[in-house]
Amino acid sequence: MNIKEVRRLDRVIIRFAGDSGDGMQLTGDRFTAETASFGNDLATLPNFPAEIRAPAGTLPGVSSYQLHFADHDILTPGDAPDVLVAMNPAALRANIADLPRGAEVIVNTDEFSARAIRKAGYAASPLEDRSLDGYRLHPVPLTTLTVEALKEFGLSRKEAERSKNMFALGLLSWMYHRSTEGTETFLTSKFAKRPAIAAANIAALRAGWNFGETTEDFAVSYEVAPAATAFPAGTYRSVSGNLALSYGLVAASRQADLPLYLGSYPITPASDILHELSKHKNFGVRTFQAEDEIAGIGAALGAAFGGSLAVTTTSGPGVALKSEAIGLAVSLELPLLIVDIQRGGPSTGLPTKTEQADLLQAMYGRNGEAPVPVVAPQTPADCFDAAIEAARIALEYRTPVFLLSDGYLANGSEPWRIPEAAELPYLRVQFAQGPNHTLDDGTEVFRPYKRDPHTLARPWAIPGTPGLEHRVGGIEKQDGTGDISYDPANHEFMVRTRQAKIDGIEVPDLEVDDPDGAGTLVLGWGSTYGPITAAVRRLRRAGQPVAQAHLRHLNPFPRDLGTVLGRYERVVVPEMNLGQLAALVRAKYLADVESITQVNGMPFKEEQLAHALEKIIHDH
């Protein structure tokens, strides 16, 4: 028997690409799950077409899933794939430019018909014109092999062809020594009501593995050892940002001992949160899919008035529609989480691509002076902790809070250590129980706007509680009594008090990573954390001292941010917009900051960001 060579690697980047109906997201997700179970550190980048179903075989219809896994701590889904699996000519053409020379390219030759080649924009077959000579090309008739492997199941050719993604997954699982047991269990469960389909997919998966084992074309397989030193002890699972955020909301509601209510309208890329929370009625979660964005936040605000931990989820266009109701929540001073999974804009923009361009909208996108705290997670797993932190602020200070994630975090995955319940913060709140003010004549009354002297939060009075009747609505309230008031002095007092409440929110000081006493600080927020950290590490390895800090709290900023900025000769802010955080920092601290901006719908690449930072440092 011919024993194949096994090479050991420290890291690998794989990209699966095909039509949106080829199951590339499922294939990548299953490979990711097995890789997480194996113990590698990982980061992923799913990339969806914006069209619901673009014409098959066209460039706009290409869907891809990139996975970077390693035996050490990694921070990004990788700049350039080491392996591309292309299910058709369009997938090859859309992705080949990202590959370095020498990368492995596995193509499904069955799809390279003359018509499909023309549809993808090729003048001639790339498999025959020597344009792929710089790569290690593996032509594999994936469709034919899959259909042949499934002959015994009596499926139509069309049904059998649908399993070709499982054949490809089996082949890649063999190449990188990934187990298939978890995927087999998944398929058995997914197709429990159609056992013949489950069996066929499992057979295709095993056939792909066996093909890799026996074919002469794949003479080498690869091993990437578990990342034992990268993770603290604990129980881990692979988690996407939207899933982690959903779990964080459930955990916050349990820590607060409040029912969780989600009022939402489906919108990419936030819909997965609605889908996930709808599964957790056993934890007291209620989900309401409203007829539009305004109804979604209106229902959530009503739930907050009724004593729930209330949430509304959306993306940038939905925030625009919700803006008046967010202002109402500011006026009512009720806890409400507004989860904005940012995407490319303006208007409908790039529905399936990522961007960080809603920061100024979250800060100022309402009429009047309507300040709202803003919290941003930095990695997919960090969405769990950021959701709990946003809930803490909302409950403690009786205010709506923006939670700014984005499409890159929402759909990306990484290992997450499942926390123990004892590690989670205590979030219990005290509802108003009775009168809280004594009049001059000794009468005890309830004042709905009598504030906590420390937090400036007003009482949370549950409707129906005897003696706590009070007015609600968007018209200005009289301080203390809550009566409608048009008095100019009272309005100014209430506006300044609401602003003081937000300014006074206690947030941790900024953590600065500066082991070498650098002259340059790279300041980021949100999902740029991974690329920034990877780029900073690269510069430090090259002998260039660089400091790094990352903002979770964007309103209010950490109290020491101005002091930190003053310690550095240069402050550089990379962000996926045209410089929104940089503008806020310049305005508040009169700091001379430099921007690195990108708005192409994709996250920064490590090498690209490192070169941009290096140029700024050297130009000074």
Side-chain angles (χ1 to χ4, degrees), residues 156-231:
S156 68
R157 181 176 178 85
K158 186 175 182 180
E159 287 177 321
E161 286 179 359
R162 289 182 183 142
S163 297
K164 62 182 181 288
N165 64 323
M166 288 296 106
F167 189 101
L169 177 58
L171 172 58
L172 269 292
S173 297
W174 171 82
M175 283 182 66
Y176 291 97
H177 297 226
R178 305 291 99 175
S179 171
T180 60
E181 290 182 12
T183 298
E184 292 184 16
T185 301
F186 168 82
L187 291 169
T188 300
S189 173
K190 179 177 176 64
F191 297 106
K193 295 181 179 179
R194 304 181 68 190
I197 299 297
N201 276 284
I202 291 171
L205 181 70
R206 293 174 178 173
W209 177 286
N210 292 334
F211 177 77
E213 182 78 22
T214 57
T215 184
E216 300 265 336
D217 193 32
F218 292 88
V220 179
S221 65
Y222 305 91
E223 284 186 351
V224 180
T229 59
F231 302 123

Side-chain angles (χ1 to χ4, degrees), residues 41-338:
D41 194 13
L42 61 90
T44 71
L45 179 62
N47 192 4
F48 307 92
E51 288 76 6
I52 293 175
R53 189 62 191 271
T58 62
L59 294 179
V62 173
S63 174
S64 68
Y65 189 106
Q66 183 163 307
L67 167 67
H68 182 192
F69 61 102
D71 66 0
H72 56 276
D73 177 33
I74 58 173
L75 297 152
T76 75
D79 288 2
D82 303 300
V83 182
L84 171 66
V85 180
M87 303 299 280
N88 61 23
L92 179 66
R93 186 156 187 252
N95 293 281
I96 193 68
D98 293 337
L99 271 65
R101 292 291 170 170
E104 295 198 70
V105 180
I106 302 170
V107 295
N108 179 14
T109 56
D110 287 324
E111 296 297 323
F112 278 70
S113 65
R115 182 170 180 270
I117 289 167
R118 287 194 304 272
K119 191 183 288 189
Y122 284 113
S125 172
L127 305 183
E128 299 170 359
D129 65 2
R130 309 201 55 145
S131 61
L132 299 177
D133 282 359
Y135 306 97
R136 288 180 285 166
L137 180 64
H138 301 280
V140 181
L142 286 170
T143 306
T144 299
L145 291 170
T146 302
V147 171
E148 184 67 26
L150 302 185
K151 270 186 175 180
E152 65 183 90
F153 292 92
L155 302 174
S156 68
R157 181 176 178 85
K158 186 175 182 180
E159 287 177 321
E161 286 179 359
R162 289 182 183 142
S163 297
K164 62 182 181 288
N165 64 323
M166 288 296 106
F167 189 101
L169 177 58
L171 172 58
L172 269 292
S173 297
W174 171 82
M175 283 182 66
Y176 291 97
H177 297 226
R178 305 291 99 175
S179 171
T180 60
E181 290 182 12
T183 298
E184 292 184 16
T185 301
F186 168 82
L187 291 169
T188 300
S189 173
K190 179 177 176 64
F191 297 106
K193 295 181 179 179
R194 304 181 68 190
I197 299 297
N201 276 284
I202 291 171
L205 181 70
R206 293 174 178 173
W209 177 286
N210 292 334
F211 177 77
E213 182 78 22
T214 57
T215 184
E216 300 265 336
D217 193 32
F218 292 88
V220 179
S221 65
Y222 305 91
E223 284 186 351
V224 180
T229 59
F231 302 123
T235 302
Y236 286 81
R237 60 159 294 169
S238 175
V239 69
S240 70
N242 274 350
L243 183 60
L245 198 153
S246 300
Y247 287 170
L249 293 174
V250 175
S253 74
R254 293 300 83 216
Q255 291 301 106
D257 195 26
L258 296 174
L260 178 65
Y261 184 93
L262 173 66
S264 182
Y265 181 75
I267 184 172
T268 301
S271 299
D272 285 343
I273 301 171
L274 171 61
H275 301 158
E276 181 60 34
L277 289 179
S278 68
K279 303 174 184 177
H280 297 292
K281 295 180 179 65
N282 56 312
F283 287 115
V285 178
R286 291 187 178 182
T287 55
F288 169 57
Q289 181 174 321
E291 66 268 28
D292 55 45
E293 294 281 7
I294 298 171
I297 190 172
L301 191 51
F305 180 57
S308 293
L309 175 58
V311 185
T312 190
T313 52
T314 191
S315 189
V319 173
L321 292 166
K322 295 177 189 290
S323 61
E324 184 179 6
I326 296 170
L328 175 59
V330 171
S331 176
L332 295 177
E333 299 188 49
L334 287 171
L336 173 69
L337 301 187
I338 305 117

Side-chain angles (χ1 to χ4, degrees), residues 1-21:
M1 178 181 175
N2 181 29
I3 299 177
K4 296 191 176 186
E5 179 186 353
V6 178
R7 292 180 189 167
R8 285 169 176 78
L9 305 173
D10 63 349
R11 53 179 285 280
V12 173
I13 303 167
I14 298 173
R15 184 182 295 176
F16 299 93
D19 265 333
S20 57

Side-chain angles (χ1 to χ4, degrees), residues 337-580:
L337 301 187
I338 305 117
V339 178
D340 177 7
I341 312 298
Q342 300 166 95
R343 71 189 206 188
S347 187
T348 309
L350 303 176
T352 61
K353 311 302 180 185
T354 195
E355 207 165 85
Q356 286 183 297
D358 294 352
L359 176 56
L360 294 183
Q361 182 184 34
M363 288 286 292
Y364 303 122
R366 294 162 295 283
N367 63 292
E369 296 289 346
V372 175
V374 181
V375 176
Q378 60 189 32
T379 68
D382 186 52
C383 289
F384 177 87
D385 296 312
I388 293 177
E389 173 64 1
R392 176 192 73 83
I393 294 172
L395 294 171
E396 185 174 350
Y397 293 90
R398 307 285 197 274
T399 178
V401 176
F402 261 101
L403 182 56
L404 288 184
S405 179
D406 61 41
Y408 171 39
L409 294 183
N411 296 316
S413 301
E414 69 174 347
W416 171 57
R417 187 182 71 83
I418 302 172
E420 300 292 335
E423 299 175 42
L424 302 178
Y426 182 82
L427 300 179
R428 296 288 178 90
V429 294
Q430 182 66 50
F431 292 123
Q433 300 297 319
N436 61 358
H437 182 76
T438 304
L439 299 176
D440 292 341
D441 63 3
T443 305
E444 293 188 334
V445 297
F446 175 65
R447 289 285 172 86
Y449 281 85
K450 182 175 182 178
R451 301 176 183 278
D452 180 290
H454 176 65
T455 65
L456 299 182
R458 78 173 185 89
W460 194 356
I462 303 303
T465 307
L468 302 190
E469 296 83 0
H470 62 284
R471 291 180 182 274
V472 294
I475 299 177
E476 186 62 278
K477 309 297 186 301
Q478 176 68 39
D479 175 46
T481 67
D483 294 335
I484 289 174
S485 172
Y486 295 98
D487 176 56
N490 175 75
H491 176 61
E492 174 145 352
F493 177 82
M494 292 294 277
V495 167
R496 293 186 181 278
T497 300
R498 287 189 289 261
Q499 183 65 58
K501 180 173 71 169
I502 304 308
D503 292 342
I505 292 173
E506 293 184 1
V507 303
D509 285 347
L510 185 63
E511 293 184 11
V512 182
D513 177 21
D514 185 9
D516 305 309
T520 300
L521 172 69
V522 185
L523 180 68
W525 70 279
S527 67
T528 55
Y529 173 79
I532 289 174
T533 307
V536 166
R537 287 180 181 178
R538 177 183 285 227
L539 291 176
R540 288 175 181 172
R541 287 195 299 269
Q544 178 68 62
V546 183
Q548 179 188 358
H550 212 76
L551 290 166
R552 162 170 283 180
H553 298 90
L554 295 152
N555 191 31
F557 285 132
R559 283 174 174 75
D560 64 337
L561 177 56
T563 303
V564 169
L565 295 173
R567 296 206 301 258
Y568 293 91
E569 300 169 23
R570 290 172 297 279
V571 178
V572 185
V573 180
E575 48 188 329
M576 294 186 294
N577 54 50
L578 295 183
Q580 296 187 14

